[in-house]
């Protein structure tokens, strides 16, 4: 870490209860809305209390002389991280994936606010451990797990990185047309889009694709490898499905040339609002990113 006093950046996402209040103004109106659909508000309130208590406990664990900032997930694209930041992400695993592309080597402590409701793959730590972990991270007394990331780079130099996966296709997930070039072979495809998954992402979207297609690839989260899958490629007179699955390494050449008239996008880790435009004639080079997610593990 830097010789500067560390800054803790606490990241969470808006709870379901907070979203309901924002949409319906009062608890009573939110409760009526749910009740009219056969649901009740008590369970959502209970989850909200767990989240609020976890965030309060995390704040109280920060040394008094350190700096502190709190950010919601939806504001990450407008937040400036500093080199001396220690990031504490409180929530579900997806939150860590959402923030990874905004970091540049800052250590991340993934914390599950409600261990009973999350897998804990990227949030393996508990709120009670934060007070011990923060100074240990600041003094480099803990090893960090370096998780590989994948990136898409367009011809104009614009890049987008992902911890779990990249989606390449149409923003509405309708049929996307593109030319894929992989290790010297080229094919025109029409599919529901392409997924490029890291070892971390192999337990998410890619897992469902592998289960459905029986095309199984095994990649560890720290390995500088990724896998790509064409979703439901359509074989026709002009489109093929021979290059439907493959592996990407440091020296692998994978390029995708858009043949989508309008609505073509590349987005990362499920955040569809933050995307690269991928319309007709735009070519994306897919590779293993130099950037890695530095995770604090128990």
């Amino acid at each position: 870490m830097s010789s500067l006093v560390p800054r803790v950046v606490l990241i969470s996402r808006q709870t379901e209860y907070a979203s309901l209040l924002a949409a319906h103004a009062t608890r009573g109106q939110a409760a009526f809305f749910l009740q009219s659909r056969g649901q009740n508000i008590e369970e959502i309130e209970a989850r909200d209390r767990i989240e609020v208590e976890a965030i309060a406990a995390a704040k109280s664990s920060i040394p008094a002389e350190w700096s502190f900032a709190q950010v919601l997930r939806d504001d990450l694209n407008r937040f400036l991280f500093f080199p001396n930041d220690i990031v504490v992400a409180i929530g579900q695993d997806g939150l860590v994936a959402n923030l990874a592309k905004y970091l540049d080597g800052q250590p991340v402590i993934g914390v599950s606010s409600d261990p009973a409701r999350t897998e804990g793959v990227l949030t393996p730590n508990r709120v009670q451990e934060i007070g011990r972990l923060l100074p240990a991270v600041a003094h480099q007394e803990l090893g960090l797990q370096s998780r590989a990331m994948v990136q898409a780079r367009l011809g104009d130099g614009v890049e987008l990185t992902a911890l779990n996966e990249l989606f390449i296709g149409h923003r509405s997930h309708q049929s996307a047309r593109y030319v894929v070039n992989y290790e010297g072979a080229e094919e025109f495809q029409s599919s529901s889009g392409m997924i490029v998954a890291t070892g971390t992402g192999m337990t998410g979207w890619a897992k469902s694709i592998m289960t459905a297609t029986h095309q199984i690839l095994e990649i560890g989260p720290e390995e500088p490898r990724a896998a790509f899958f064409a979703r439901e490629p359509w074989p026709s007179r002009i489109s093929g499905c021979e290059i439907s699955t493959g592996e990407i390494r440091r020296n692998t050449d994978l390029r995708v040339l858009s043949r989508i008239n309008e609505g073509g996008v590349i987005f990362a880790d499920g955040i569809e609002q933050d995307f690269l435009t991928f319309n007709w004639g735009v070519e994306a080079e897919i590779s293993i990113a130099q950037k890695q997610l530095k995770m604090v593990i128990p």
Side-chain angles (χ1 to χ4, degrees), residues 161-179:
T161 59
L163 176 66
N164 278 339
E165 72 270 310
L166 293 167
F167 170 80
I168 306 169
H170 196 279
R171 64 188 175 203
S172 67
H173 299 265
Q174 68 185 44
S175 179
R177 293 180 172 85
Y178 53 87
V179 179

Side-chain angles (χ1 to χ4, degrees), residues 1-297:
M1 294 292 294
S2 166
S3 59
L4 297 173
V5 174
R7 181 178 72 164
V8 176
V9 180
L10 180 60
I11 298 175
S12 61
R13 61 180 299 175
Q14 190 176 49
T15 65
E16 296 165 327
Y17 182 68
S19 297
L20 281 169
L21 289 184
H24 300 283
T26 68
R27 181 195 181 278
Q29 290 176 323
F32 176 78
F33 170 80
L34 292 175
Q35 189 176 17
S36 67
R37 287 158 175 78
Q39 304 172 56
N40 64 72
I41 200 170
E42 285 75 17
E43 181 182 352
I44 296 174
E45 279 184 311
R47 292 202 297 267
D48 180 79
R49 282 194 297 271
I50 291 172
E51 181 89 359
V52 170
E53 290 171 3
I55 292 173
K59 289 180 181 179
S60 67
S61 302
I62 301 171
E65 65 275 16
W66 289 18
S67 300
F68 167 71
Q70 186 169 359
V71 189
L72 286 174
R73 187 196 72 166
D74 292 345
D75 297 325
L76 282 171
N77 63 337
R78 298 186 292 273
F79 184 77
L80 179 63
F81 287 95
F82 296 155
N84 62 313
D85 286 342
I86 300 175
V87 179
V88 178
I90 297 184
Q92 297 186 341
D93 291 332
L95 181 63
V96 177
N98 293 157
L99 70 91
K101 66 181 178 181
Y102 300 107
L103 302 178
D104 189 17
Q106 293 90 345
V108 176
I109 303 174
V111 178
S112 174
S113 58
D114 188 359
R117 295 182 59 83
T118 183
E119 294 293 328
V121 175
L122 299 177
T123 54
N125 303 288
R126 300 294 177 261
V127 175
Q128 296 81 0
E129 300 169 332
I130 295 176
R132 173 183 63 85
L133 291 173
L134 286 174
V137 173
H139 295 100
Q140 299 181 344
E141 296 171 352
L142 289 177
L144 300 177
Q145 183 186 54
S146 299
R147 290 196 169 228
M149 301 180 70
V150 68
Q151 73 176 21
R153 180 182 177 88
L154 305 187
D156 58 4
V158 178
E159 296 178 351
L160 183 66
T161 59
L163 176 66
N164 278 339
E165 72 270 310
L166 293 167
F167 170 80
I168 306 169
H170 196 279
R171 64 188 175 203
S172 67
H173 299 265
Q174 68 185 44
S175 179
R177 293 180 172 85
Y178 53 87
V179 179
V180 58
N181 190 300
Y182 176 61
E183 294 190 328
E186 185 174 278
E187 183 175 67
F188 175 77
Q189 291 185 354
S190 177
S191 76
S192 300
M194 183 178 286
I195 300 296
V196 184
T198 64
T200 300
M202 297 300 277
T203 60
W205 201 345
K207 183 177 181 179
S208 66
I209 296 174
M210 290 189 293
T211 301
T213 62
H214 305 291
Q215 296 174 309
I216 307 300
L217 294 173
E218 295 184 1
I219 300 174
E222 296 180 84
E223 293 184 68
R225 297 190 292 143
F228 70 86
F229 305 90
R231 300 171 63 213
E232 304 150 342
W234 177 254
S236 71
R237 212 160 38 85
I238 59 172
S239 60
C241 57
E242 293 298 317
I243 312 177
S244 60
T245 306
E247 189 176 305
I248 304 170
R249 298 176 181 266
R250 289 286 188 198
N251 59 349
T252 302
D253 182 26
L254 173 66
R255 288 176 286 117
V256 185
L257 177 65
S258 176
R259 287 294 180 255
I260 305 170
N261 287 330
E262 186 179 2
V265 296
I266 302 175
F267 63 77
D269 297 326
I271 302 184
E272 300 187 24
Q273 298 85 356
D274 187 5
F275 62 88
L276 302 180
T277 300
F278 189 62
N279 290 332
W280 183 282
V282 175
E283 185 174 62
E285 181 181 353
I286 313 301
S287 61
I288 304 301
Q290 293 298 320
K291 180 188 294 188
Q292 297 175 323
L293 175 69
K294 302 295 184 179
M295 270 192 61
V296 176
I297 57 175

